[in-house]
Amino acid sequence: MKSVKSIISVSVVVVLAFLVWHYAIRPSDMPSQNSTAAQASSKENLSSSTADVVFPVSVSIARRGSFAKKTTTNGILRAKREVELVARIAGEIRSANAFNGKFVTKGDLLIKLDDRENRLALEKAASGLLSAQIEYRTLTSSSFYGSTDSQRTSIELDSLKSTFALIDSAYRQHKIDDQDYLRARREYDASYAYLRANRGDVVASKTGLVQAKEAHERAKMNLEWTEIRAPFSGYVADFDLVAGKQVQAGNVLCKIVDVSSLLVDIEVVESEVAKLEVGQKAELTVTALPDKRFAGIVRTLNPIIDEKTKTMKATIELQRSRGAEFRKTEKREKGPAERDSEKRKKSEKEKLTPGMYATVRIETETFNNRLIVPKAALLVRDQRTLVFVVNGDLAKWHYVDVGEENDEVLEIRDGIAVGDTVIVDGHYTLAHDAKVKIVK
């Protein structure tokens, strides 16, 4: 029993000695009041520095306005009119008065073929026509080709019709065979044509006047076809002809392109067809001018939906600006800035070329008097839609109810009010009550 008590006493002494050594002998290992105060000060400074962070943001004002939904599709620019000029006759090119990109007006001579043989042919045809006309006049003046008895002719026609009616009835009753019927039909047609024919026409045919007129007209057309002229005003394209080159009838010589108006043929999916109407506004962009937008209008709608692609074809026409039409009639002196602006707009129009790939957006639905903000203002957090509104120098988030939208703006049904300043850039990492600074 005494030994146990001795062991306990020794253990207590050892523990006490360790505690004295730990706290008394190594005071540097214990946290001092100064170090604790320093840690608290550090935390306060960190909290203060975080609160002083200011985030630069861009903003927009929530407003009431109108916006349109758009159907987007693609197409290829084409000219209002484009035609291939084809050689009607063979011949050697005597002169070529065109080149690629040249603007020509309707009727301008583009290509001239050697016409010497055609002129000789026309003179020969004119001589033949004159001979036939003289012979025709001589024969029609004779008593033999005088006027016929109209009453007698009428009686003969009635008899001819009655006779053939009997033959036709017998044929239908299978009393005569096909060969006999065809022979009777041929005789009837010839006799009927003879009795009904004008005596002057008969004489014209017998004298060759009809054939002479045809030959003369053909020779005249061949001579006209030695000159290839512009069918309408436009630009010359695909022209590579030179004087001395031989062309054959049917050869494509060049193209004339009328770019006074440009069109885009598009295909609209079946689900959007019901929203389209002729006259709707459209907006076009082209790959070559990505920062420019051009106004257009729906000109035609194909009433049939393609069974294979389930799309409907439509045609969009690029519109001329009202300003351009006004500038044609005004007489006042323009300033340098206005002249530069006009040149720039004209240059942009001229850069639009048939064959360019275009993206077309058609306004299919319009929504008026809606509270709208830029689409960039909308965020989604925890599966809820919200926008940040600037209040003083703080960003406050507001959960919002979103309505209709297009590619640029969206409708806010509830959550903010007209005139609120919403953040549209720099808000992806913001927290509620974060300090912000509005920048342009």
Side-chain angles (χ1 to χ4, degrees):
M1 189 69 179
K2 290 182 178 179
S3 61
V4 173
K5 291 180 178 179
S6 300
I7 292 172
I8 292 174
S9 299
V10 171
S11 299
V12 171
V13 172
V14 171
V15 171
L16 291 173
F18 175 77
L19 292 174
V20 171
W21 174 80
H22 185 72
Y23 290 105
I25 304 302
R26 299 182 59 191
S28 62
D29 292 340
M30 293 297 294
S32 64
Q33 293 182 354
N34 292 336
S35 63
T36 302
Q39 290 179 4
S41 175
S42 176
K43 290 181 179 179
E44 290 179 1
N45 292 335
L46 180 60
S47 176
S48 176
S49 62
T50 303
D52 290 339
V53 174
V54 178
F55 296 90
V57 295
S58 298
V59 298
S60 179
I61 305 300
R63 61 181 178 84
R64 285 202 169 273
S66 303
F67 66 97
K69 273 191 173 182
K70 299 177 182 179
T71 294
T72 303
T73 184
N74 302 304
I76 304 297
L77 287 178
R78 66 177 176 88
K80 177 182 179 180
R81 289 184 293 179
E82 179 179 319
V83 65
E84 290 181 337
L85 300 185
V86 179
R88 300 285 189 90
I89 58 173
E92 179 183 328
I93 296 177
R94 176 178 291 181
S95 62
N97 306 317
F99 52 85
N100 285 330
K102 180 180 179 180
F103 181 81
V104 294
T105 57
K106 181 179 179 180
D108 283 355
L109 179 63
L110 307 179
I111 302 166
K112 176 66 177 176
L113 301 180
D114 188 348
D115 62 357
R116 288 174 293 180
E117 290 187 6
N118 302 95
R119 289 187 179 279
L120 291 175
L122 180 60
E123 292 177 2
K124 182 179 179 180
S127 177
L129 176 60
L130 179 60
S131 298
Q133 288 171 333
I134 293 173
E135 186 175 358
Y136 171 81
R137 185 74 181 91
T138 301
L139 290 178
T140 53
S141 300
S142 67
S143 58
F144 180 77
Y145 286 100
S147 60
T148 58
D149 187 345
S150 59
Q151 184 176 3
R152 181 181 176 182
T153 300
S154 178
I155 294 173
E156 290 180 355
L157 281 172
D158 291 340
S159 175
L160 185 65
K161 291 178 181 178
S162 299
T163 302
F164 183 74
L166 294 174
I167 295 173
D168 188 66
S169 177
Y171 176 71
R172 294 179 185 279
Q173 297 175 16
H174 305 287
K175 293 180 179 180
I176 60 176
D177 59 17
D178 293 346
Q179 188 173 1
D180 289 338
Y181 175 77
L182 291 175
R183 187 181 299 111
R185 179 79 194 193
R186 184 172 62 250
E187 292 293 334
Y188 168 75
D189 289 341
S191 300
Y192 185 83
Y194 174 77
L195 292 172
R196 293 286 295 174
N198 180 278
R199 288 294 177 264
D201 294 340
V202 175
V203 175
S205 178
K206 294 289 291 182
T207 58
L209 180 60
V210 174
Q211 295 82 352
K213 282 186 175 181
E214 181 181 349
H216 182 265
E217 289 299 321
R218 176 63 60 185
K220 186 178 178 181
M221 283 193 302
N222 286 340
L223 181 60
E224 291 175 353
W225 287 343
T226 61
E227 295 182 347
I228 293 85
R229 297 180 178 274
F232 50 80
S233 298
Y235 291 91
V236 178
D238 297 342
F239 190 94
D240 61 352
L241 303 175
V242 294
K245 184 175 182 178
Q246 189 75 23
V247 297
Q248 301 298 323
N251 287 164
V252 177
L253 304 178
C254 63
K255 289 182 180 179
I256 301 297
V257 182
D258 177 9
V259 294
S260 61
S261 179
L262 293 176
L263 307 175
V264 184
D265 295 321
I266 60 173
E267 294 185 353
V268 182
V269 295
E270 185 178 2
S271 60
E272 299 291 328
V273 166
K275 302 176 183 178
L276 292 184
E277 294 180 2
V278 173
Q280 285 176 324
K281 294 180 181 179
E283 181 183 86
L284 292 88
T285 57
V286 295
T287 305
L289 301 168
D291 298 330
K292 303 297 180 183
R293 297 184 179 185
F294 302 92
I297 192 170
V298 178
R299 279 300 181 204
T300 62
L301 295 174
N302 193 334
I304 299 174
I305 294 178
D306 189 280
E307 295 181 358
K308 295 181 179 179
T309 62
K310 295 299 179 182
T311 59
M312 184 182 73
K313 291 184 179 179
T315 300
I316 310 299
E317 180 182 3
L318 269 72
Q319 291 182 290
R320 291 173 175 264
S321 64
R322 291 182 181 177
E325 295 173 357
F326 173 74
R327 285 192 295 271
K328 290 180 181 178
T329 59
E330 66 179 348
K331 300 298 183 180
R332 64 180 177 82
E333 184 68 22
K334 304 178 183 114
E338 188 176 3
R339 288 196 295 268
D340 291 343
S341 176
E342 289 181 8
K343 289 180 181 179
R344 184 168 59 256
K345 290 179 180 179
K346 182 180 179 181
S347 176
E348 291 168 359
K349 288 286 185 182
E350 291 176 347
K351 288 179 181 178
L352 292 177
T353 305
M356 284 184 172
Y357 184 82
T359 298
V360 182
R361 298 175 180 85
I362 305 171
E363 295 184 2
T364 55
E365 296 178 90
T366 302
F367 303 94
N368 299 314
N369 194 28
R370 305 297 175 95
L371 178 60
I372 56 177
V373 298
K375 197 170 183 179
L378 189 68
L379 295 175
V380 179
R381 293 186 180 178
D382 295 330
Q383 299 182 347
R384 296 184 66 182
T385 53
L386 62 92
V387 298
F388 277 98
V389 175
V390 176
N391 187 354
D393 61 350
L394 299 179
K396 305 282 188 178
W397 77 24
H398 291 246
Y399 290 111
V400 292
D401 181 18
V402 178
E404 301 291 344
E405 63 181 72
N406 63 14
D407 293 339
E408 299 172 352
V409 300
L410 53 87
E411 175 192 4
I412 302 297
R413 293 175 176 169
D414 187 35
I416 62 173
V418 174
D420 283 348
T421 302
V422 296
I423 300 177
V424 296
D425 188 34
H427 55 327
Y428 289 102
T429 59
L430 286 184
H432 186 65
D433 282 339
K435 284 190 176 182
V436 293
K437 178 182 179 181
I438 298 174
V439 296
K440 291 185 180 180

